[in-house]
Amino acid sequence: VKMVMASLERRAKEHKLTLMVGRSHGIHGEPITFGLVLAIWHDEMKRNLENLEQTMEVISVGQISGAMGNIAHAPMELEEYVCKDLGLKPAPVSNQVIQRDRYANLMNALALLASTSEKIAVAIRHYQRTEVYEVEEFFAKGQKGSSAMPHKRNPILTENITGLCRMIRSYAMPAMENVALWHERDISHSSVERFILPDGFITTDFMLHRLNSVIDKMVVYPENMMKNLNLTGGLVFSQRVLLELPLKGVSREDAYSIVQRNAMKVWTDIQQGKSALNSNGESLYLEYLLEDEELRTKLSEVE
């Protein structure tokens, strides 16, 4: 996790001024920087690291309390002595086993880590789409994207990461179900843990190394980010106008109506296959705003 965080921090600083469009619901919102996207991923990874560190405290316990936890056949001091020698704390109370909520906590921490990792992978996959093409996985010379279509450059690593994260997350549910054992113990948890503990850690380790490689080597295209930012000819600045009008005495409802109706004209142009820029390469949205008589009674051309 620390390895991935270091790569995210380095790339975030590299792109702190790389402008791109922010998206909500997959639709253009307002301008942001790619550095902000990476910083958010870094911050979430930091929380995952904190979760794992806290989980280490939860699971680092041991017990030698006898077959029923009643310490009937060994002195109490033995449990404390052995646990200390192993670098563990004695479980405050135990029966025949360490209670499995502790291991459920661990697998849930891994599941959350996998969810963050998948979030990053899915975003990169979207950025690599031909219509977007803002970020791309590193594509080595001689690498094949598709056995049938030689032109393809597929996001195979992030797709693989997405699948691995689904597997890691799937281990959380049986870990939760392991908590409910019969009385002082049964072994229904045992066969489950023989799968989920080694597989969970091995898969997470592999996935994180692959994710780190993707982040470290990913190719960023600032020119395409700027092209996409300008795709709607300035519609992404609509909120600036919306917030200015109430300062001039216009109700927010009326301000929204003014700003939106002019924005919808641009969308109509785009739907008809027209450019969002006029013949002079300037914003059609700005042109429509300047032509709006109701708006112009409140804002000057300069404003």
Side-chain angles (χ1 to χ4, degrees):
V1 177
K2 291 178 180 178
M3 170 185 65
V4 174
M5 287 175 62
S7 294
L8 286 170
E9 182 177 358
R10 178 177 62 81
R11 300 306 303 265
K13 289 176 178 176
E14 177 187 349
H15 291 288
K16 65 180 181 179
L17 298 178
T18 302
L19 283 171
M20 69 182 300
V21 69
R23 298 170 172 94
S24 57
H25 306 275
I27 308 301
H28 286 196
E30 290 190 329
I32 59 172
T33 70
F34 190 47
L36 173 61
V37 173
L38 293 162
I40 288 171
W41 295 347
H42 178 276
D43 188 53
E44 193 164 330
M45 274 294 175
K46 182 181 177 183
R47 289 196 295 278
N48 283 303
L49 179 61
E50 291 169 351
N51 283 340
L52 287 167
E53 289 172 342
Q54 290 169 4
T55 298
M56 285 300 295
E57 289 294 311
V58 174
I59 64 171
S60 296
V61 298
Q63 58 91 1
I64 304 178
S65 57
M68 290 290 107
N70 56 6
I71 317 180
H73 307 288
M76 265 187 168
E77 294 77 13
L78 178 63
E79 180 177 81
E80 186 174 351
Y81 175 80
V82 172
C83 286
K84 183 178 180 181
D85 194 53
L86 294 172
L88 303 172
K89 298 173 295 184
V93 186
S94 59
N95 45 30
Q96 195 175 99
V97 292
I98 297 296
Q99 302 309 298
R100 262 41 200 175
D101 67 289
R102 296 180 183 272
Y103 296 98
N105 188 301
L106 168 64
M107 299 313 293
N108 280 328
L110 290 185
L112 277 171
L113 172 60
S115 293
T116 297
S117 301
E118 184 181 11
K119 169 183 177 175
I120 295 171
V122 168
I124 294 172
R125 287 168 59 191
H126 168 75
Y127 292 141
Q128 188 165 333
R129 289 173 59 189
T130 308
E131 298 85 353
V132 181
Y133 206 49
E134 295 178 348
V135 176
E136 185 178 35
E137 290 181 13
F138 177 76
F139 196 84
K141 186 177 181 180
Q143 179 179 333
K144 292 182 179 180
S146 165
S147 60
M149 296 168 282
H151 71 278
K152 297 289 292 297
R153 290 158 69 108
N154 299 333
I156 56 173
L157 297 178
T158 44
E159 288 174 348
N160 175 257
I161 289 167
T162 299
L164 293 175
C165 290
R166 290 171 183 170
M167 287 306 303
I168 296 164
R169 228 178 8 255
S170 74
Y171 297 145
M173 182 56 73
M176 299 279 279
E177 291 172 341
N178 275 355
V179 174
L181 303 179
W182 283 19
H183 308 297
E184 279 56 62
R185 191 228 180 147
D186 63 60
I187 61 166
S188 59
H189 65 93
S190 178
S191 56
V192 175
E193 289 167 357
R194 291 172 197 272
F195 282 98
I196 66 174
L197 290 171
D199 282 15
F201 277 100
I202 292 169
T203 306
T204 301
D205 180 71
F206 179 85
M207 180 274 294
L208 288 173
H209 275 87
R210 175 153 286 181
L211 179 62
N212 183 67
S213 179
V214 168
I215 294 165
D216 182 57
K217 296 178 183 178
M218 68 181 175
V219 183
V220 181
Y221 299 109
E223 298 82 5
N224 287 343
M225 289 181 171
M226 186 60 74
K227 184 182 84 172
N228 288 335
L229 177 58
N230 291 321
L231 198 63
T232 58
L235 285 187
V236 293
F237 299 109
S238 68
Q239 188 175 194
R240 297 296 295 271
V241 188
L242 174 65
L243 295 177
E244 188 68 22
L245 285 170
L247 300 178
K248 304 292 183 177
V250 181
S251 71
R252 194 183 187 284
E253 184 177 353
D254 289 343
Y256 193 96
S257 176
I258 293 169
V259 174
Q260 186 188 42
R261 72 184 176 219
N262 288 290
M264 292 305 107
K265 293 178 185 178
V266 180
W267 280 118
T268 299
D269 291 334
I270 293 173
Q271 289 166 355
Q272 294 173 352
K274 299 176 184 177
S275 170
L277 304 177
N278 62 23
S279 57
N280 297 321
E282 298 168 340
S283 168
L284 263 183
Y285 186 45
L286 177 59
E287 184 177 298
Y288 290 145
L289 289 172
L290 290 170
E291 292 172 354
D292 191 302
E293 294 181 4
E294 184 180 4
L295 173 63
R296 290 301 304 280
T297 61
K298 301 298 180 180
L299 292 176
S300 68
E301 182 171 343
V302 173
E303 289 172 317

